Amino acid sequence: MYPALHNCKQRSSEMELHRLAPLLLVCLCMLLPRAHGSRKLYVAYLGERKHGHPDDVVASHHGTLSSILQSKQEILDSIVYSYKHGFSGFAALLTKEQARQLAELPEVISVQPSRRYKTTTTRSWDFLGLNDKVPSELLTRSRYGDDIIIGLIDTGIWPESRSFNDDGYGPVPSRWKGVCQTGVGWDRGNCSRKIIGARFYHAGLTKEELKADYLSPRDARGHGTHTASTAAGSAVEAAGFHGLATGTARGGAPRARIAVYKSVWRSAAGAGVGTTATVLAAIDDAIHDGVDVLSLSLVVEENSFGALHAVQNGVTVVYAAGNSGPAPQLVRNTAPWVITVAASKIDRSFPTVVTLGNKQQIVAQSLYYEAKNSSGSTFRLLADGGLCVDALNGTDVRGQIVLCAAFQSPPFLLFPIALSNVLDAGASGLIFAQYSMDALDVVADCKGIPCVLVDMDMANQISNYMADASSPVAKIEPARTVTGEVEAPAPKVAAFSSRGPSVNYPEIIKPDIAAPGASILAAKGDSYALLSGTSMATPHVAGVVALLKALHPDWSPAALKSAIMTTASVTDVRGMPILAQGLPRKFADPFDYGAGNINPTRAAEPGLIYDIDPSDYKKFFGCTFKKSVQCNATMLHGYQLNLPSIAIPDLRHPITVSRTVTNIGDFNAVYRAVIESPAGVRMDVEPSVLVFDAASKVITFQVKLSPLWRLQGAYTFGSLTWLNGQNTVRIPIAARITIHDFYADVS
Ligand SMILES: *[C@@H]1O[C@H](CO)[C@@H](O)[C@H](O)[C@H]1NC(C)=O
Ligand SMILES: *[C@@H]1O[C@H](CO)[C@@H](O)[C@H](O)[C@H]1NC(C)=O
Ligand SMILES: *[C@@H]1O[C@H](CO)[C@@H](O)[C@H](O)[C@H]1NC(C)=O
């Protein structure tokens, strides 16, 4: 059923790395380039493909390279990937001088070094209103995403996971043109009616970087299995992490088909590595194969022409915003044509009771569970380890619980150091004081000792008790799982979620949307794990896109994004504004969560759509991909693109922004504008009433933003909402009044 992939290069390198068989050695010597001299991997972009047959596109790439390389052999040695389906371009090993020469050729739009990049449940879907026990209308009407194909560009997949069981699935959709590429620990039988395709890409990575992974679509790291099962895992009863977060694990579109594009590899140190070249190769193939939505939980180069071509081919591209929050301006993957996803925290927590010797109880958070060989929850001596960043050899803490405090540094950085120092010193427990990072996975593996997170106030209480007691003791009990509104406010934007504004596209609000991404339970290997990150939020959006696409097959990627954004929630379950966790905690704004937290049920019937013809992107962002000399100064402003958001980074005089909405609800509908102006800005909408009927389905309106003050200001935020009886169509607005260009106030 699966066409074999006749790719000598892939096979040969796999041979070389794993010495499976000497069969294709000839092929290997010819095609596997030896790294020599100072050649590096570059990615050349040639724009839209201009030839009908992929072979002709490849021939044209060889033609281009023949201008700078002498022989056919040199070309074959140099070229690593030809991008020939969704767009034209190639990845090639070149010297710096050759890359410069290549960039000067008229047919070449850009040449960039291939950069390294990194990767950044159960309850979350119930929280979003998609419960399969009481199936939501969206789930049943979309037939659980049946026949929608979600492509995951990630670390591969673990096909044995119960989440990818294909029992009861119909045949693979006939439009599918992908392959099942075999390799180490992966044969044709590992593809199924659930995992309908699998490929892998490793060009540009060294043997050293690949040796800790399977040279195949198999996932050694667990990240890709987690994201795939979040987007499209079949329902699995009684999943959990050592008794925590138990329930039915399933993906957002539990019947959708999965196509695996492994482009991130597990390094010996356990981190993920990949390159621009491999991600582009994956996107090019995914366009060819016929995926409907691509989910990329990784941070890649901004200049994402691959994603642009995917969108032009009708593929919705969903990217992680990155995990660099709460600092501003670090949001990544911000191209206007993709959906950039922030991470929110759901209404689940893992309270862990710490009892002090004076009977005072403190409720910490942890993923501590009673291991079989654990010494149980008993009172132990408490020791103060200070910051715990240095070895604790000054103090004898064997068998004791150590209190450590990370006052300023992100706990992501300090916790592992503190844990390692505390373990080295022979301690039997760790109480770690920090500001909230909403990422419990740092405490998921504490090598058998209980480790809990507390805030500064709790740490202070413990310190006070320690100062008073002659021999202070504490007891840590295993964590419990608590869900529902009675606990902390939810959703909240997670502290680690990267924040806007976008440096590359300031005339666009980024991120676009927030989705659950903190302590998400999903498949990892044969079991289930809680992971946090915008990596976990991204497949939530991909799953929702799959459901919406099943319901509305004719919607463009821009329409799907519009539906998701204009229906997002900006208030929590109690109607309070959504908070953004960080330093300090505050009300969330569009640079934290874009349009808000995703609301799948409402997204199914958005009323109005802000659509974009994919060819429009070029009118606005031609300079993005072109050599600077070709940039057209008359290019339109990014804020004129018909996005479901408006950002004006330099408001010095009144600016009028145009938007067009398409009515996709009842023919006869009247919408009225509800305006919430950003502080310091006057906002006028014309017309302020939109009257739709059978003849008039598309209406353009103007939003005029006028500065009320003259100052070098910070961003303020507002919104424009179109209301009729049934629908609330809201877009976020960000504006900054300025006087000078590039004026920083960071003193
Ligand atoms: C996947 O293939 C391997 C052999 O390469 C086999 O051992 C394993 O059982 C297969 N798994 C599934 C789910 O078919
Ligand atoms: C701890 O021990 C290490 C290695 O023995 C030593 O280098 C370091 O200075 C010691 N630190 C303290 C605070 O004593
Ligand atoms: C620059 O853009 C404007 C507006 O889109 C267009 O009319 C003009 O022809 C373009 N010029 C060049 C040199 O591409």
Side-chain angles (χ1 to χ4, degrees):
M1 178 166 33
Y2 297 96
L5 188 80
H6 296 294
N7 184 334
C8 181
K9 198 183 302 174
Q10 300 281 24
R11 285 208 208 157
S12 58
S13 47
E14 160 191 321
M15 297 293 174
E16 186 186 76
L17 281 158
H18 291 266
R19 297 199 178 81
L20 284 185
L23 220 74
L24 289 170
L25 268 181
V26 181
C27 167
L28 176 145
C29 301
M30 242 173 51
L31 286 178
L32 195 77
R34 299 264 159 259
H36 72 63
S38 55
R39 290 198 305 174
K40 286 213 183 79
L41 194 56
Y42 285 87
V43 170
Y45 174 51
L46 279 66
E48 277 162 32
R49 49 177 284 198
K50 296 187 184 72
H51 301 83
H53 198 277
D55 289 350
D56 298 333
V57 186
V58 175
S60 79
H61 297 160
H62 288 204
T64 296
L65 276 170
S66 69
S67 315
I68 56 160
L69 298 175
Q70 307 310 319
S71 66
K72 180 112 188 118
Q73 192 57 49
E74 258 189 85
I75 294 172
L76 289 175
D77 278 354
S78 162
I79 197 158
V80 170
Y81 288 119
S82 264
Y83 309 129
K84 52 186 183 291
H85 302 296
F87 51 96
S88 177
F90 54 83
L93 288 160
L94 300 169
T95 64
K96 204 169 172 188
E97 175 56 22
Q98 287 168 339
R100 197 191 55 75
Q101 290 169 0
L102 182 65
E104 281 176 3
L105 298 177
E107 70 266 37
V108 176
I109 292 174
S110 72
V111 177
Q112 317 157 37
S114 171
R115 297 254 157 75
R116 299 282 148 138
Y117 59 82
K118 51 189 192 228
T119 47
T120 49
T121 180
T122 55
R123 178 69 194 162
S124 55
W125 291 111
D126 289 342
F127 182 65
L128 294 178
L130 295 182
N131 183 326
D132 66 351
K133 289 282 171 357
V134 194
S136 78
E137 221 190 304
L138 173 56
L139 275 175
T140 48
R141 281 176 58 212
S142 66
R143 297 187 302 127
Y144 298 80
D146 198 7
D147 286 353
I148 298 296
I149 303 165
I150 304 181
L152 288 117
I153 299 184
D154 211 302
T155 63
I157 202 164
W158 193 259
E160 288 78 17
S161 167
R162 291 182 289 156
S163 287
F164 308 125
N165 188 330
D166 71 349
D167 280 356
Y169 278 70
V172 171
S174 56
R175 65 199 163 88
W176 177 243
K177 289 197 288 197
V179 299
C180 189
Q181 188 181 0
T182 58
V184 178
W186 189 284
D187 59 29
R188 297 276 192 92
N190 286 168
C191 290
S192 63
R193 291 181 169 192
K194 181 72 185 174
I195 301 172
I196 63 170
R199 300 179 186 255
F200 59 99
Y201 308 86
H202 61 280
L205 298 175
T206 63
K207 279 189 215 175
E208 192 58 31
E209 284 171 316
L210 294 168
K211 74 175 188 201
D213 205 331
Y214 302 93
L215 206 68
S216 77
R218 186 171 287 277
D219 180 14
R221 195 155 176 273
H223 189 274
T225 302
H226 202 275
T227 54
S229 62
T230 299
S234 305
V236 172
E237 302 285 339
F241 174 76
H242 299 285
L244 292 171
T246 48
T248 303
R250 70 168 191 287
R255 281 268 157 169
R257 316 301 176 110
I258 294 170
V260 177
Y261 299 87
K262 177 169 171 181
S263 308
V264 186
W265 299 80
R266 182 183 190 277
S267 70
V273 289
T275 66
T276 321
T278 60
V279 168
L280 283 171
I283 293 177
D284 188 39
D285 281 341
I287 296 170
H288 164 269
D289 294 350
V291 305
D292 296 297
V293 46
L294 269 177
S295 185
L296 295 99
S297 290
L298 44 90
V299 167
V300 73
E301 283 306 290
E302 285 291 337
N303 219 343
S304 58
F305 55 81
L308 176 60
H309 286 286
V311 168
Q312 286 173 339
N313 281 276
V315 180
T316 302
V317 181
V318 189
Y319 259 114
N323 300 334
S324 308
Q329 296 185 316
L330 295 176
V331 61
R332 300 291 301 274
N333 298 320
T334 56
W337 37 90
V338 309
I339 304 179
T340 309
V341 185
S344 60
K345 198 167 180 269
I346 58 169
D347 62 341
R348 178 170 63 196
S349 59
F350 302 94
T352 307
V353 175
V354 178
T355 309
L356 306 179
N358 63 1
K359 297 207 170 63
Q360 185 181 355
Q361 290 199 329
I362 278 169
V363 184
Q365 293 280 326
S366 80
L367 295 178
Y368 172 50
Y369 56 91
E370 200 89 275
K372 283 197 186 66
N373 57 354
S374 97
S375 42
S377 304
T378 53
F379 277 102
R380 294 176 176 281
L381 281 174
L382 264 174
D384 188 350
L387 288 173
C388 300
V389 286
D390 296 315
L392 297 174
N393 34 359
T395 354
D396 181 11
V397 296
R398 272 171 297 171
Q400 302 184 12
I401 295 172
V402 181
L403 173 68
C404 303
F407 292 108
Q408 276 126 29
S409 312
F412 275 150
L413 297 180
L414 274 193
F415 183 84
I417 299 170
L419 176 63
S420 143
N421 286 333
V422 162
L423 284 168
D424 285 350
S428 292
L430 167 60
I431 298 175
F432 191 75
Q434 57 158 17
Y435 61 82
S436 175
M437 282 297 285
D438 304 312
L440 277 176
D441 17 338
V442 292
V443 296
D445 183 12
C446 292
K447 315 276 182 247
I449 69 166
C451 55
V452 302
L453 303 178
V454 296
D455 67 13
M456 293 305 164
D457 180 25
M458 294 173 181
N460 198 35
Q461 304 277 335
I462 298 171
S463 288
N464 288 346
Y465 158 70
M466 287 171 76
D468 287 347
S470 51
S471 66
V473 292
K475 178 174 83 170
I476 302 175
E477 282 166 54
R480 291 178 301 121
T481 307
V482 172
T483 54
E485 300 163 28
V486 290
E487 291 290 314
K492 268 188 302 194
V493 178
F496 58 76
S497 187
S498 288
R499 311 298 161 99
S502 160
V503 172
N504 288 27
Y505 298 99
E507 293 178 340
I508 303 277
I509 290 182
K510 287 283 174 174
D512 293 302
I513 191 79
S519 301
I520 300 301
L521 184 82
K524 186 175 179 186
D526 290 323
S527 59
Y528 288 79
L530 288 159
L531 296 179
S532 299
T534 51
S535 283
M536 284 64 239
T538 303
H540 276 90
V541 175
V544 172
V545 169
L547 296 179
L548 297 179
K549 180 95 185 167
L551 216 52
H552 306 283
D554 54 330
W555 281 8
S556 68
L560 290 160
K561 175 172 162 178
S562 172
I564 286 172
M565 288 178 67
T566 60
T567 56
S569 311
V570 292
T571 50
D572 71 10
V573 287
R574 288 186 192 76
M576 295 291 288
I578 290 177
L579 296 172
Q581 201 75 265
L583 296 173
R585 177 161 57 190
K586 62 177 183 70
F587 289 135
D589 65 46
F591 292 148
D592 302 313
Y593 62 14
N597 203 57
I598 194 166
N599 188 333
T601 305
R602 284 193 53 212
E605 302 300 336
L608 303 178
I609 286 286
Y610 291 76
D611 207 353
I612 297 174
D613 182 327
S615 65
D616 278 358
Y617 295 116
K618 275 196 239 157
K619 294 185 203 152
F620 295 86
F621 302 101
C623 295
T624 303
F625 303 132
K626 297 235 167 73
K627 298 169 203 171
S628 53
V629 285
Q630 291 175 351
C631 270
N632 186 340
T634 61
M635 209 60 90
L636 294 168
H637 280 291
Y639 50 69
Q640 298 294 3
L641 187 64
N642 201 42
L643 285 166
S645 62
I646 297 173
I648 313 278
D650 292 295
L651 189 63
R652 296 184 196 183
H653 45 80
I655 287 180
T656 300
V657 173
S658 197
R659 286 290 184 274
T660 300
V661 284
T662 307
N663 178 23
I664 53 151
D666 294 340
F667 279 147
N668 296 307
V670 177
Y671 281 86
R672 280 165 216 287
V674 177
I675 297 167
E676 188 205 345
S677 310
V681 177
R682 182 193 156 113
M683 202 170 123
D684 300 289
V685 178
E686 184 56 44
S688 60
V689 178
L690 306 180
V691 182
F692 296 94
D693 56 34
S696 142
K697 293 177 73 174
V698 180
I699 298 180
T700 296
F701 59 88
Q702 318 292 330
V703 180
K704 185 173 171 191
L705 294 145
S706 317
L708 296 175
W709 305 321
R710 194 181 130 75
L711 86 170
Q712 187 70 14
Y715 277 97
T716 56
F717 305 97
S719 63
L720 166 62
T721 307
W722 290 107
L723 279 182
N724 77 347
Q726 292 149 10
N727 293 97
T728 304
V729 188
R730 181 186 186 278
I731 65 170
I733 292 170
R736 181 174 61 173
I737 301 172
T738 61
I739 300 167
H740 317 284
D741 288 334
F742 298 111
Y743 176 99
D745 180 14
V746 291
S747 54

